[in-house]
Amino acid sequence: MTEASFPRPRLSLLELAPVVDGASFGDALRDTIATAQEAERLGYERVWVAEHHSMPGIASSAPAVLIGQIAAATDSIRVGSGGVMLPNHQPLVVAEQFGTLDALFPNRIDLGIGRAPGTDQLTAHALRGGKVSESVDDFPQALAHLRAFLRDDFPADHPYAAITATPGTGSNPEMWLLGSSTFSAKLAGLLGLGFAFARHFAPQATLPALTEYRENFRPGDIDSPNAMLTVTVIAADTDEQAQRIAGPAKASMYRVRTGNPGRMLTFDQAAAQPLTADQEQAIAPTTAAWIVGSQDTVRDELRSLLERTQPQELMIAGMIPGRDERVHSLELIKGAVDQLG
C-alpha cells in the first residue's frame, strides 16, 4: 500500500434522525443517540445534527434539543449542529441555547451555522414570522450579532450592548460556517472560522468553494484554514449489499426533489420498488458523487477524493434506515480511512 499524498483527515458523522416507515419519531431520535454512542466508541471526532423542517422522514428539526440529549448520552465526542440555519432564528436565542449547552458540556459543543432555510419557502415563511426574503447583508449581520452576544463585545454605542446573553456570554462553542457555494466559503475565510462544505448535495461546487475559503483565509478564531467536507458514504460487506442499503436514501432524495417527501422506506420496500432509469437520472447530479460499496471500494474512492480536496476533516453523511446497518457502515468507513496511511 502506497503512502497517502495527503494528511489523513479527522472523521466525523452527520445525523438527520431518519424516520423509517412503521417507526415512531421517538424510535428515530433514540436510534440517532445510539448511533452517536457507537461513533464515539469507534473514535469519530464529532457528531452533528442537521436542521430540517416539514420533512416527514427527518426528525432533526430542533438541533439544540437533540444535541443536549446526545451529549448527555456520550462522554467525550464533540456534538454540534450541522447546522443551525441562522435566518430561522434570532441570534440572541441561538447564543443562549448554545451557551446553555456549553455550560453543561464544556469543550464539547460545536455551533455550525448555515444560511439556507432547511425547508421549503412556505415553511420558511412560518418559521420566520412572515419574513422570507433576505438581503445580501442580512446573514453577515446576524452572524456578527451572534458572535458579539457570545463574546459580549458589542460597541458601547450599539443598542444591544446593554443585553447579556445568559447563558451565552463567555461560552466557547466551536463555531463553523456551513455552505454549498462560495458565499459562506469566502465569509468563513475572511472571519477566520472553520468551513464545512456540503459536498453531499452540491458536489460540483466542491473545489471552487474550498479554493475560495483557502485563498481568503485570515487568522481569526483559528490560525490556519480548517476545512471539513461532508460526503455521502454508505458501506457494507460487498458492493452489492451497499447498493441495496443505499436504496432507501435514493428513494428519499427523489421524493424530496419532486416535492413528495415521506417517511424513509425500509430496505425491502426500496428493493421492491426501485427507481426507474429516468428517476435515477433525475438525482444523478448528486448521487453520482456518493461513495457506495465495500470497504475496499470506499477506501479507494475516498483516497481519490481526498487527494483532490485535502480537507482537514471528513464528515460522513448517509441516510441508512437500519441501526445495525448504519453502525456497520460506520465501522467499515473508519477502517477504510485508517487504511489510507
Side-chain angles (χ1 to χ4, degrees), residues 120-209:
D120 59 87
Q121 289 299 301
L122 179 61
T123 307
H125 187 276
L127 283 166
R128 302 174 188 183
K131 179 184 177 184
V132 175
S133 62
E134 57 179 294
S135 75
V136 71
D137 296 323
D138 284 348
F139 178 76
Q141 183 183 63
L143 179 63
H145 285 173
L146 171 58
R147 299 180 79 203
F149 280 126
L150 292 172
R151 297 176 173 186
D152 194 23
D153 66 355
F154 280 104
D157 59 350
H158 195 285
Y160 292 169
I163 299 173
T164 300
T166 308
T169 294
S171 62
N172 190 38
E174 187 175 301
M175 186 173 287
W176 295 70
L177 286 194
L178 281 56
S180 57
S181 68
T182 57
F183 179 92
S184 291
K186 182 176 183 179
L187 183 60
L190 293 173
L191 295 176
L193 296 171
F195 175 60
F197 181 77
R199 186 181 185 272
H200 57 309
F201 60 81
Q204 296 83 0
T206 301
L207 289 176

Side-chain angles (χ1 to χ4, degrees), residues 42-312:
L42 291 167
Y44 280 63
E45 176 80 9
R46 68 188 90 230
V47 57
W48 283 1
V49 294
E51 178 186 343
H52 290 280
H53 299 278
S54 193
M55 293 188 181
I58 295 176
S60 59
S61 57
V65 178
L66 187 50
I67 287 166
Q69 294 296 310
I70 293 172
T74 52
D75 296 317
S76 58
I77 194 169
R78 297 193 66 89
V79 190
S81 55
V84 165
M85 300 296 107
L86 192 55
N88 296 339
H89 308 277
Q90 294 302 318
L92 176 57
V93 174
V94 177
E96 291 172 339
Q97 289 175 342
F98 280 79
T100 299
L101 290 167
D102 182 68
L104 290 169
F105 308 102
N107 301 314
R108 290 186 59 203
I109 300 300
D110 297 335
L111 175 51
I113 295 292
R115 61 186 287 263
T119 187
D120 59 87
Q121 289 299 301
L122 179 61
T123 307
H125 187 276
L127 283 166
R128 302 174 188 183
K131 179 184 177 184
V132 175
S133 62
E134 57 179 294
S135 75
V136 71
D137 296 323
D138 284 348
F139 178 76
Q141 183 183 63
L143 179 63
H145 285 173
L146 171 58
R147 299 180 79 203
F149 280 126
L150 292 172
R151 297 176 173 186
D152 194 23
D153 66 355
F154 280 104
D157 59 350
H158 195 285
Y160 292 169
I163 299 173
T164 300
T166 308
T169 294
S171 62
N172 190 38
E174 187 175 301
M175 186 173 287
W176 295 70
L177 286 194
L178 281 56
S180 57
S181 68
T182 57
F183 179 92
S184 291
K186 182 176 183 179
L187 183 60
L190 293 173
L191 295 176
L193 296 171
F195 175 60
F197 181 77
R199 186 181 185 272
H200 57 309
F201 60 81
Q204 296 83 0
T206 301
L207 289 176
L210 292 178
T211 299
E212 192 81 6
Y213 172 59
R214 290 163 176 156
E215 289 183 348
N216 285 281
F217 186 86
R218 302 172 185 173
D221 283 13
I222 54 178
D223 295 329
S224 59
N226 190 15
M228 178 192 292
L229 205 58
T230 303
V231 184
T232 295
V233 188
I234 295 174
D237 291 333
T238 67
D239 289 346
E240 293 75 19
Q241 289 174 353
Q243 290 295 337
R244 183 176 187 275
I245 288 172
K250 288 185 175 181
S252 292
M253 171 166 286
Y254 178 76
R255 291 163 69 179
V256 169
R257 291 288 174 87
T258 54
N260 186 34
R263 294 199 171 200
M264 196 169 198
L265 300 181
T266 65
F267 300 124
D268 289 343
Q269 287 172 331
Q273 43 188 308
L275 297 183
T276 66
D278 287 344
Q279 291 170 334
E280 290 271 8
Q281 186 63 32
I283 60 174
T286 298
T287 57
W290 290 11
I291 296 175
V292 180
S294 66
Q295 187 174 76
D296 288 349
T297 297
V298 167
R299 181 197 62 221
D300 294 345
E301 293 194 26
L302 281 179
R303 177 183 286 114
S304 176
L305 173 65
L306 295 171
E307 285 174 345
R308 300 194 308 271
T309 57
Q310 303 198 15
Q312 282 67 48

